[in-house]
Amino acid sequence: MAITLASLVAVPSLKLRKTGLAETTWNQDISWVAVTELEDPQRFLSGGELVLTTGLRLKSAADQRRFVRQVQRAGAVGIGFGTGLTHESVPEPLIAEANRWGLPLVEVPYEIPFIAIGKLVAESHSADHYSNLERLLAGHQILARALLTGGGLAELLKQLGSMLRTDVVLTQFSAQLYNSVPGKPAPTAEGWASYPIPTGRRDACTLWLRQPFIDSGIVSYAQNLISVELNNMVKQRQAQRAMAGQVLDDVIHGTLDTIEAARRLAGVGINSTRKNVVLVAESTAHHKQLVSISLPQSLEGGVSAVVGKDLVTVISDDGSSATALAKSLSDHLQEAGIHAVIGIGGAYTKPNGLRWSYFEARDAVAHGLPVNEPERLSLTSLLLASEDVPLADMASESLTPLRKFDAAHGSELVATLESYLNHNGSVAAVAEALTLHRNTVRYRLAQITELTGYDPSQTQDRVQLWLALAVQRLGARNPR
């Protein structure tokens, strides 16, 4: 039968010694043996492996702790640490981190080659294969039928729990996609076996099964079926968000009349007669993952959409729960490894209110905190909300001559203009901020006047230039 880490340690000839305290996956079948000397082997693991290493590159305590976390996140069964080559004993930081994350750890003595462990695991899989094949085929049919006859993920997991006679939970980051336990408590490392669900994406899905149970091999097949269904759900989610994004984009930019906007919003699940709050999540580094990520359970009743490169979520709320919901979204994204900034809009009714809430949320994103409360909209943001005001063209016409001149001559006219406006027209303050002589500042202001036709010292022209800079800055964050 398939071998476990506990069984390996019990083989006298291997002389393996349990080093850590964790036993979370102690009796879980080892899917394979992975030998690595990489500092971060996570992307080469698919889950269920026993990871063997001599710690050749794990010189510092930080490296050793990081290695344990990467292996645990990949869903490995445990770590076998070879001593006598690079390290005379298993490093204490590695032991402590393995205990912290509930990852079993064993010491492999110098005289035992890693290939001996790999061979034993391979032989156990081969012997077990034929005896389980017929039983597995019957189980496969039951699970596949549950998924394909319309029951979906919930029916598949229900059947899996029935076959194993145990409770089943499926988690994704901080969310629970399924839980057969009354009250839906979160599973813990103690008393539950965890199985990663490989999908080819950074979606960190884990199948939890309450121990004890007997797995004849059906769990690995269930993992594959769950993986397929989750990928289908991602594609459906992307399609739904793209469709909702088209509607929201038209509403945001005011291209629909009120009746048509309300009708189209209702078509994607947004009731504009109620108060709605818009949450905008922006991530420059992870926008591709952001637009396809799942939502936490607290936002399951909302409608999510992709607008530009941002994830936009519309929730029916009077504003009292908006901050808590935004925090749950932020925590969920952080669990997924996505560094995002969340902006919150106000609570309003009607399509125009939804539009207003969106621009408040976009304005809030500029504050740069993980979660940003809404504030009063600036005049620039409101003007940008209108398709009838060609602010982008005006900004480009005003600033392009300066940018071209800076590019050609290595000057800093745009930077000087921004500093001048930020310091309320004080030449002395600009000179100090940019470490320039006051005459140099005056000369540059004269060049700006000559190139643009606007004199920064005149109030009317100063407003024009300030508005042009503000429009380009906001427009870069919110391209149409």
Side-chain angles (χ1 to χ4, degrees):
M1 59 180 295
I3 200 164
T4 65
L5 194 52
S7 301
L8 275 181
V9 172
V11 177
S13 60
L14 293 180
K15 302 179 181 179
L16 302 181
R17 183 174 68 87
K18 180 184 175 185
T19 303
L21 300 176
E23 295 185 349
T24 307
T25 52
W26 194 247
N27 295 303
Q28 180 178 321
D29 290 346
I30 299 171
S31 65
W32 202 245
V33 171
V35 179
T36 181
E37 298 300 339
L38 296 174
E39 295 178 54
D40 179 7
Q42 184 175 1
R43 58 179 175 165
F44 300 105
L45 303 175
S46 59
E49 297 94 348
L50 171 61
V51 178
L52 302 179
T53 184
T54 65
L56 181 64
R57 297 185 179 181
L58 307 179
K59 303 295 185 183
S60 67
D63 292 338
Q64 294 158 11
R65 292 180 181 276
R66 189 180 305 109
F67 179 81
V68 171
R69 292 195 297 270
Q70 300 293 349
V71 170
Q72 190 273 338
R73 288 171 185 165
V77 168
I79 296 175
F81 196 92
T83 56
L85 185 60
T86 307
H87 299 269
E88 291 303 317
S89 60
V90 183
E92 289 299 326
L94 193 141
I95 296 173
E97 196 71 7
N99 290 340
R100 176 189 175 194
W101 290 98
L103 188 66
L105 179 63
V106 298
E107 179 181 352
V108 183
Y110 177 80
E111 64 269 22
I112 302 300
F114 284 168
I115 194 173
I117 299 174
K119 182 179 179 182
L120 186 59
V121 172
E123 288 175 349
S124 69
H125 277 284
S126 178
D128 197 44
H129 175 71
Y130 294 103
S131 62
N132 286 335
L133 185 58
E134 185 174 339
R135 186 166 56 253
L136 281 176
L137 286 175
H140 290 178
Q141 291 177 349
I142 293 173
L143 294 183
R145 191 181 302 116
L147 186 62
L148 298 176
T149 54
L153 195 59
E155 183 62 25
L156 185 154
L157 293 170
K158 178 182 176 182
Q159 290 294 337
L160 178 64
S162 177
M163 294 169 65
L164 298 177
R165 297 181 181 180
T166 190
D167 290 317
V168 178
V169 177
L170 183 66
T171 61
Q172 187 173 38
F173 304 124
S174 59
Q176 292 186 13
L177 303 183
Y178 177 86
N179 194 327
S180 66
V181 184
K184 298 186 177 181
T188 61
E190 183 179 354
W192 290 79
S194 61
Y195 298 84
I197 305 298
T199 63
R201 296 181 175 87
R202 296 175 57 188
D203 45 16
C205 278
T206 304
L207 175 67
W208 300 82
L209 300 173
R210 190 193 292 275
Q211 295 175 327
F213 64 92
I214 298 177
D215 176 22
S216 62
I218 196 65
V219 174
S220 61
Y221 182 69
Q223 286 176 275
N224 292 328
L225 285 182
I226 295 169
S227 174
V228 171
E229 182 64 11
L230 288 175
N231 275 304
N232 289 335
M233 291 170 65
V234 168
K235 293 177 181 178
Q236 293 172 6
R237 188 159 58 236
Q238 289 174 331
Q240 291 168 353
R241 286 178 179 173
M243 181 174 65
Q246 292 175 357
V247 175
L248 283 179
D249 195 64
D250 288 340
V251 172
I252 288 165
H253 293 121
T255 59
L256 304 174
D257 61 47
T258 302
I259 296 176
E260 177 63 13
R263 186 187 68 81
R264 291 187 61 185
L265 287 171
V268 295
I270 300 174
N271 186 346
S272 58
T273 64
R274 298 178 179 176
K275 281 190 174 182
N276 290 293
V277 171
V278 173
L279 304 180
V280 173
E282 178 189 273
S283 177
T284 303
H286 304 111
H287 63 87
K288 290 184 179 179
Q289 295 93 335
L290 179 66
V291 297
S292 61
I293 191 70
S294 62
L295 294 180
Q297 283 180 298
S298 58
L299 291 174
E300 285 182 350
V303 175
S304 59
V306 176
V307 178
K309 293 183 178 181
D310 299 336
L311 175 63
V312 176
T313 305
V314 181
I315 51 177
S316 179
D317 187 73
D318 61 2
S320 60
S321 304
T323 301
L325 293 173
K327 181 65 168 58
S328 70
L329 177 58
S330 178
D331 292 343
H332 184 71
L333 296 178
Q334 287 181 14
E335 287 285 335
I338 297 175
H339 302 287
V341 178
I342 312 295
I344 307 172
Y348 307 105
T349 60
K350 301 181 181 179
N352 280 340
L354 192 70
R355 182 184 184 197
W356 185 286
S357 182
Y358 171 81
F359 277 98
E360 283 187 340
R362 285 292 310 138
D363 218 36
V365 165
H367 301 158
L369 299 174
V371 175
N372 301 274
E373 300 279 355
E375 294 182 359
R376 291 181 301 174
L377 280 176
S378 66
L379 175 62
T380 310
S381 297
L382 291 176
L383 289 173
L384 278 174
S386 175
E387 295 282 355
D388 301 326
V389 182
L391 287 184
D393 294 337
M394 179 276 292
S396 178
E397 181 181 346
S398 300
L399 299 177
T400 297
L402 301 183
R403 298 192 188 281
K404 286 184 176 179
F405 189 88
D406 283 349
H409 299 88
S411 56
E412 297 181 341
L413 295 185
V414 174
T416 303
L417 176 60
E418 288 180 321
S419 182
Y420 183 78
L421 296 175
N422 290 336
H423 289 92
N424 301 313
S426 171
V427 171
V430 174
E432 183 179 353
L434 300 182
T435 318
L436 298 171
H437 194 279
R438 295 184 186 185
N439 288 340
T440 302
V441 175
R442 293 189 182 96
Y443 176 71
R444 288 186 180 181
L445 293 175
Q447 286 182 299
I448 292 170
T449 301
E450 181 180 348
L451 289 169
T452 65
Y454 296 108
D455 184 354
S457 66
Q458 300 297 316
T459 300
Q460 182 175 348
D461 289 356
R462 189 186 301 178
V463 170
Q464 180 83 3
L465 292 169
W466 178 87
L467 192 59
L469 287 169
V471 165
Q472 287 211 340
R473 184 169 57 252
L474 289 175
R477 296 202 313 266
N478 184 39
R480 292 188 178 184

